[in-house]
Amino acid sequence: MTSLLASFLPESSGGDQIVDAFVEAQASVGRTLYPHQEEALLAIAAGEHVIAATPTGSGKTTIAYSALFAAMARGERAYYTAPIKALVSEKFFEIVSMFGAEMVGMMTGDAAVNHDAPIIVCTAEILANHALRDGADSDIGVVVMDEFHFYGDSERGWAWQVPLLELTDAQFVLMSATLGDVAFFEEDLNKRTHRSVTTIWDAPRPVPLDFRWATTDLEDTIREILESRDAPVYIVHFTQANALQQAQNLLGWNILTKDEKAQIRELIGDFRFSRGFGKILSKLVREGIGVHHAGMLPKYRRLVERLAQSGLLKVIAGTDTLGVGINVPIRTVLLTGLAKFDGRTTRLLNSREFHQIAGRAGRAGYDTVGHVVVQAPEWTVEFEKQKARAAARAESGKAPNNAKKKRREPKAKVPEGAVNWTEANLTKLVENPPAPLRAHMRITSSMLLALIARPGSAAAHARQLIETSHQTPAQKLALKRRAIELFRGLTESEIVEVTGTADNQGRRIHLVEDLQLDFQMNQPLAPFAIAFLDSLDEDSPDLTMDTVSTIEAILEDPRQILLAQQGTAKRRLLAELKADGVEYQERMQLLDEVTWPKPLAEELEAALEIYAKQRPWVPVDDLSPKSIVRELFETGSTFSEFVSRYQLIRSEGIVLRYLSDAYQTLRRTLPQELRTDEVEDIIEWLGVLVRGVDSSLLDEWEALAHPEDGDGHDGADEIRPDSPRALTAQTKVVETMIRQAMWRRVEDFAFEREEDLGQLGDDDWDADRWGEAMDEFYDLYDHVVIEPQARDPRLLRITKESKQWLITQTVMDPDENNDFVLQAVLDVDASDEAGELALSMEYAGDIAKAPWR
């Protein structure tokens, strides 16, 4: 890609030179700045803060680029923040194309690329943690905060507030189409930093919007949009399931011409679609239909965004993630409703939410108008049909004309418990501006650790952070109490220690010496988990898995995964109960007691009850035992197998995000003294698993940074066979994976679970074939030994050849003849391409007849 802006950086850092150089760079590609963009550029070059409260599509990205350009010209470091990882990755590649791969880095918390670069694209939380660690001593010169309306988010708003409080020497550019009244921020920034503030608020929208209320069936509404040539259209649903179902419903509509399908195939190239959702998406995008939601793997979202930018995806069905700045060029936004479930209740959209979504309609330079269509509720659509039928009967003279019949005119029937929306709601949303943003500060253990790492008094830093925050006096008092409670927890857990004298940087509070350099505590119950693990028996054979379960118990629940595990457990129990002839009422009672796996639940709950008695501030409700990482490891499952087993194809991204969170918590929160060699192996295995599922961001950046290593493509390529992160190059981890995968087969064999074995995806090895192998074994022996001695490493042999590894797992019999084996082949290239084991069974039987010995 051409490093457009980098080539125009001026030799002088003066304001006039910066302005002239940036204008020249824009002119070189035929762009002329809008008046409001020029006003912002002049303010940025002069060192002023800028608040860009301008409509979507009015060119805020150009304002952001001008700020980064100014920082580079002045030799300053710049941070660009976005609220979600998908947007961070999108902006990262955009900025790389402007300034060059070597000049831009990315940090999202679970991925870091080129982190020493002068321009960093990151989530707001990453910037906030940096601000807490460095304060006014930070080397950041310019901060661009995109989608700044997240300042008002009750859970995450603290991350947008902290940089404003701590980075008092930095120049800020705050951007959003839905900020509301910004007078408070103008005054606060000016007072806090002694810089002038320029607010851009009256910019016209280059592509005006029209709004329409649709009372036709959803399918007819979509057809009308397509026939009116108002595509591309983004169909907004408020659940991932509905979005995917809508996309699949459109298959067979012949949305693309033959030539357009050929173009799509060429753009897709050799992009690797994995099993499950990947195969579904491949079929959809080849028909001009996209899907976009947070449950997708990052590589699939990136693919849909790239294809959408080509204009060849005529329909994209997705969720309201569209409203968070994702650059999907569309002409029409079709909202399937105006009500959404927010995690607690189903409610109508507020004005900010509506405008964030609606504002994505209309593409500058392509469209003269953007269309926003709001679908009426199903009951309203049916009501309109009834009225039309009644009107037709009246016109034909067939309608009853007595008074009694007239009282029975059709009325819309809103289902009980449903949230209704009307055309009046739409009008109100269109006309009402967003409400002013409210401040939301919080104090966490992770924040305190960041303050402790900063030179000087951590107590003074915390006090200043709270006192200068945007909260009310009552809220500040509550924050101080919370900080004291959390600090007590850190000292009692021996995570921090207080010394009598200050060190050479003025610090009296320190992390204990044996903690890793990147130690973090992002989980509220992390101090409890550390204390609990410290009490476990070091010689326990269950110590490694108990460590994993303890960490999993303090992670946020991925509800989709847990409910899928619960549903699977219920179905299995129901089948067993029916087979045993258990009566219906008893079956129902037993099924009501079934939940997802909860290892150590009783032990953890009892320990937390004792722990919390002396610490009433501990969030006891955050404890949630679960077994996802543990199940994956113990069963030797690949990511694809786990997703398939629990039918989580719509939620692959959620599974990956949970595994990534677990990996980061194990790696950064578990102190070194609690990390045995076996636990270190688990951490390494989990890291490889996460990267193997989707390393597309890192690979894509490497392709941009080192184009001579690739084939000239700049984004569609997946893991290259010669990638240094090739799975099989990490021998120790792969051997661990193989050991677990083969042991799973032994356990299923021992319990005669031929149906489960038949679903592992081994070629030609269905339940019947496994059953035959079991018959052969059980004709000689009455059971399989699965006690610890059966897992002796000597019973597993791996012969490594260049293209395949030959695996022999000996099944231990009670006589210890050990003459029955399971043999499998690992396909090296397929494993490296997929990022997970490509294992296939070859043989199960007497070792004397085995293909290899």
Side-chain angles (χ1 to χ4, degrees):
M1 287 187 180
T2 302
S3 301
L4 173 63
L5 292 178
S7 63
F8 285 89
L9 286 171
E11 295 181 1
S12 170
S13 60
D16 290 343
Q17 287 77 14
I18 291 172
V19 171
D20 291 343
F22 189 79
V23 170
E24 182 184 357
Q26 297 300 300
S28 71
V29 290
R31 293 186 187 135
T32 302
L33 295 180
Y34 295 129
H36 68 276
Q37 291 173 326
E38 188 171 351
E39 181 183 359
L41 172 61
L42 290 168
I44 288 167
E48 298 179 7
H49 300 301
V50 170
I51 301 176
T54 62
T56 301
S58 61
K60 287 188 290 293
T61 297
T62 299
I63 294 174
Y65 287 165
S66 71
L68 301 179
F69 185 85
M72 294 301 95
R74 297 193 290 247
E76 297 174 338
R77 202 166 196 212
Y79 271 56
Y80 183 110
T81 75
I84 61 174
K85 295 172 185 178
L87 185 54
V88 168
S89 63
E90 177 186 302
K91 292 298 181 183
F92 168 66
F93 289 111
E94 284 183 12
I95 296 171
V96 163
S97 71
M98 295 291 105
F99 292 93
E102 72 283 353
M103 298 290 286
V104 189
M106 178 184 70
M107 290 188 284
T108 63
D110 54 15
V113 176
N114 201 23
H115 58 84
D116 292 325
I119 299 175
I120 294 295
V121 189
C122 62
T123 56
E125 284 81 0
I126 294 293
L127 175 63
N129 285 326
H130 174 96
L132 290 166
R133 285 194 311 272
D134 292 4
D137 294 330
S138 168
D139 63 348
I140 299 176
V142 172
V143 174
V144 179
M145 302 191 81
D146 201 356
E147 307 295 334
F148 186 72
H149 59 274
F150 269 81
Y151 171 96
D153 186 276
S154 60
E155 294 296 322
R156 302 178 60 203
W158 67 273
W160 277 260
Q161 184 179 164
V162 164
L164 303 181
L165 306 179
E166 295 293 329
L167 301 179
T168 51
D169 290 336
Q171 179 184 17
F172 284 91
V173 177
L174 311 179
M175 308 190 306
S176 174
T178 57
L179 288 179
D181 187 353
V182 297
F184 167 81
F185 297 106
E186 293 172 336
E187 181 181 349
D188 183 75
L189 279 170
N190 178 261
K191 180 180 178 181
R192 198 179 295 274
T193 67
H194 308 294
R195 291 181 190 245
S196 298
V197 181
T198 294
T199 298
I200 313 295
W201 60 271
D202 58 349
R205 181 183 169 92
V207 181
L209 297 179
D210 66 25
F211 298 88
R212 180 165 69 86
W213 176 252
T215 57
T216 51
D217 287 321
L218 179 57
E219 182 176 302
D220 292 334
T221 304
I222 297 170
R223 286 192 185 279
E224 183 181 343
I225 291 170
L226 294 175
E227 290 169 0
S228 301
R229 299 185 178 277
D230 287 332
V233 53
Y234 193 103
I235 308 174
V236 182
H237 296 267
F238 294 100
T239 69
Q240 296 171 5
N242 288 344
L244 180 57
Q245 185 60 58
Q246 180 62 69
Q248 291 177 297
N249 289 345
L250 298 176
L251 285 172
W253 278 34
N254 293 321
I255 293 172
L256 295 182
T257 65
K258 188 175 180 180
D259 287 343
E260 288 171 332
K261 288 181 180 181
Q263 292 176 53
I264 283 275
R265 287 196 300 272
E266 184 176 352
L267 284 174
I268 292 172
D270 58 357
F271 180 92
R272 175 170 54 83
F273 292 95
S274 304
R275 288 184 292 171
F277 178 77
K279 299 303 181 185
I280 296 173
L281 183 64
S282 176
K283 184 183 297 185
L284 289 169
V285 295
R286 294 174 198 278
E287 296 295 326
I289 304 162
V291 182
H292 197 284
H293 60 69
M296 295 166 60
L297 293 177
K299 65 180 181 181
Y300 293 144
R301 287 201 304 268
R302 289 279 299 156
L303 175 69
V304 169
E305 289 158 16
R306 288 194 201 99
L307 294 177
Q309 287 158 12
S310 73
L312 292 169
L313 291 187
K314 304 302 183 183
V315 180
I316 304 172
T319 59
D320 53 344
T321 53
L322 172 75
V324 194
I326 300 297
N327 183 22
V328 178
I330 49 180
R331 180 171 295 167
T332 302
V333 169
L334 169 58
L335 289 97
T336 59
L338 291 177
K340 66 179 289 186
F341 181 72
D342 62 8
R344 293 183 295 273
T345 184
T346 300
R347 58 167 176 79
L348 293 175
L349 298 180
N350 60 43
S351 180
R352 177 169 286 110
E353 292 168 332
F354 174 77
H355 285 287
Q356 281 294 131
I357 300 169
R360 302 298 159 189
R363 301 168 296 173
Y366 294 90
D367 302 323
T368 57
V369 64
H371 307 286
V372 181
V373 182
V374 176
Q375 184 70 21
E378 292 179 3
W379 48 89
T380 300
V381 172
E382 182 58 32
F383 175 54
E384 292 298 327
K385 289 180 181 177
Q386 292 177 19
K387 286 205 304 183
R389 287 194 291 266
R393 287 195 299 268
E395 188 174 341
S396 65
K398 296 180 180 179
N401 57 8
N402 60 71
K404 183 177 180 180
K405 291 290 184 182
K406 285 183 179 180
R407 287 198 298 268
R408 295 181 180 176
E409 289 181 354
K411 295 182 180 180
K413 296 179 180 179
V414 181
E416 186 176 353
V419 174
N420 190 37
W421 63 92
T422 66
E423 190 171 6
N425 295 127
L426 170 60
T427 301
K428 186 177 180 180
L429 287 170
V430 171
E431 295 176 349
N432 287 358
L437 295 170
R438 291 179 53 196
H440 295 278
M441 177 57 82
R442 63 191 298 190
I443 297 293
T444 66
S445 296
S446 184
M447 293 172 70
L448 292 184
L449 291 177
L451 292 172
I452 289 169
R454 191 198 299 187
S457 168
H461 296 326
R463 191 180 306 113
Q464 181 181 18
L465 174 69
I466 294 169
E467 285 294 346
T468 61
S469 70
H470 300 159
Q471 309 307 127
T472 65
Q475 291 170 334
K476 290 178 181 179
L477 181 59
L479 289 172
K480 289 179 182 177
R481 290 173 178 163
R482 179 66 173 158
I484 293 170
E485 293 167 349
L486 291 173
F487 178 71
R488 287 176 182 166
L490 293 175
T491 55
E492 290 173 357
S493 300
E494 299 182 349
I495 294 165
V496 301
E497 57 187 1
V498 182
T499 58
T501 57
D503 64 12
N504 58 4
Q505 292 187 309
R507 296 177 295 201
R508 293 181 59 242
I509 304 174
H510 308 270
L511 289 177
V512 297
E513 290 184 2
D514 58 352
L515 292 175
Q516 54 270 37
L517 291 175
D518 59 352
F519 180 80
Q520 290 183 359
M521 293 189 71
N522 295 325
Q523 314 299 330
L525 282 177
F528 160 72
I530 293 171
F532 178 81
L533 289 172
D534 199 33
S535 70
L536 295 180
D537 180 4
E538 294 181 6
D539 297 324
S540 169
D542 300 322
L543 180 61
T544 300
M545 286 296 99
D546 286 351
T547 299
V548 171
S549 291
T550 301
I551 294 300
E552 286 203 79
I554 66 171
L555 298 177
E556 184 177 350
D557 283 348
R559 296 292 296 177
Q560 293 94 326
I561 305 174
L562 300 183
L563 291 176
Q565 287 180 319
Q566 182 182 47
T568 299
K570 285 189 173 185
R571 286 190 293 272
R572 283 183 175 175
L573 178 59
L574 179 60
E576 293 173 6
L577 295 175
K578 284 184 174 180
D580 293 340
V582 177
E583 294 294 330
Y584 176 80
Q585 290 295 339
E586 185 179 352
R587 291 205 308 261
M588 292 302 101
Q589 290 176 353
L590 292 171
L591 288 172
D592 284 342
E593 298 171 4
V594 175
T595 183
W596 53 86
K598 296 183 177 181
L600 288 185
E602 292 184 5
E603 295 90 335
L604 286 166
E605 289 165 3
L608 182 57
E609 184 179 355
I610 296 170
Y611 185 85
K613 281 183 179 178
Q614 302 299 320
R615 307 165 185 84
W617 62 87
V618 171
V620 294
D621 292 338
D622 284 0
L623 184 72
S624 180
K626 46 192 168 288
S627 180
I628 298 170
V629 174
R630 180 168 182 163
E631 178 182 330
L632 270 163
F633 185 78
E634 288 187 325
T635 62
S637 300
T638 65
F639 182 87
S640 298
E641 288 170 349
F642 184 86
V643 167
S644 176
R645 183 185 314 150
Y646 293 114
Q647 300 178 357
L648 291 165
I649 60 172
R650 286 198 314 269
S651 306
E652 287 178 328
I654 293 170
V655 179
L656 178 62
R657 198 172 306 128
Y658 176 83
L659 296 178
S660 179
D661 288 345
Y663 169 63
Q664 296 295 350
T665 304
L666 281 164
R667 187 168 71 90
R668 294 180 174 174
T669 300
L670 196 62
Q672 290 288 356
E673 64 179 18
L674 298 176
R675 291 162 66 161
T676 63
D677 290 343
E678 291 77 13
V679 170
E680 292 283 10
D681 289 345
I682 294 279
I683 295 172
E684 187 177 2
W685 159 79
L686 189 54
V688 170
L689 185 150
V690 168
R691 289 191 297 273
V693 172
D694 191 344
S695 64
S696 56
L697 295 180
L698 188 57
D699 288 324
E700 190 170 341
W701 175 79
E702 286 188 348
L704 291 170
H706 306 287
E708 69 279 4
D709 296 337
D711 56 7
H713 295 154
D714 62 0
D717 297 336
E718 287 302 301
I719 300 174
R720 298 185 299 279
D722 59 348
S723 167
R725 287 174 311 286
L727 177 62
T728 56
Q730 301 172 85
T731 306
K732 184 178 179 181
V733 173
V734 175
E735 288 178 353
T736 299
M737 291 178 170
I738 291 171
R739 187 173 302 280
Q740 295 302 116
M742 295 307 293
W743 183 249
R744 175 190 179 184
R745 286 161 172 79
V746 171
E747 282 195 323
D748 285 345
F749 195 92
F751 290 101
E752 300 183 61
R753 295 191 287 242
E754 60 265 36
E755 293 293 337
D756 289 349
L757 286 165
Q759 293 174 7
L760 290 178
D762 292 324
D763 293 341
D764 302 324
W765 281 80
D766 57 14
D768 290 340
R769 189 168 181 184
W770 277 107
E772 292 171 4
M774 290 176 188
D775 290 342
E776 180 181 345
F777 179 89
Y778 289 110
D779 283 343
L780 299 173
Y781 307 106
D782 59 2
H783 71 277
V784 173
V785 178
I786 57 172
E787 278 67 40
Q789 66 268 27
R791 301 201 67 170
D792 189 315
R794 290 173 295 183
L795 297 179
L796 177 70
R797 188 174 73 255
I798 302 174
T799 303
K800 298 170 185 173
E801 300 181 353
S802 61
K803 293 298 183 182
Q804 62 181 13
W805 294 6
L806 308 179
I807 303 155
T808 300
Q809 172 71 60
T810 299
V811 179
M812 181 175 279
D813 59 80
D815 298 336
E816 296 192 21
N817 292 322
N818 298 340
D819 53 4
F820 195 95
V821 296
L822 307 181
Q823 291 191 328
V825 173
L826 178 77
D827 186 319
V828 172
D829 289 343
S831 296
D832 289 341
E833 182 183 354
E836 59 185 29
L837 296 186
L839 201 64
S840 59
M841 279 294 298
E842 285 288 316
Y843 177 77
D846 191 321
I847 191 171
K849 301 177 183 177
W852 60 85
R853 299 188 185 181

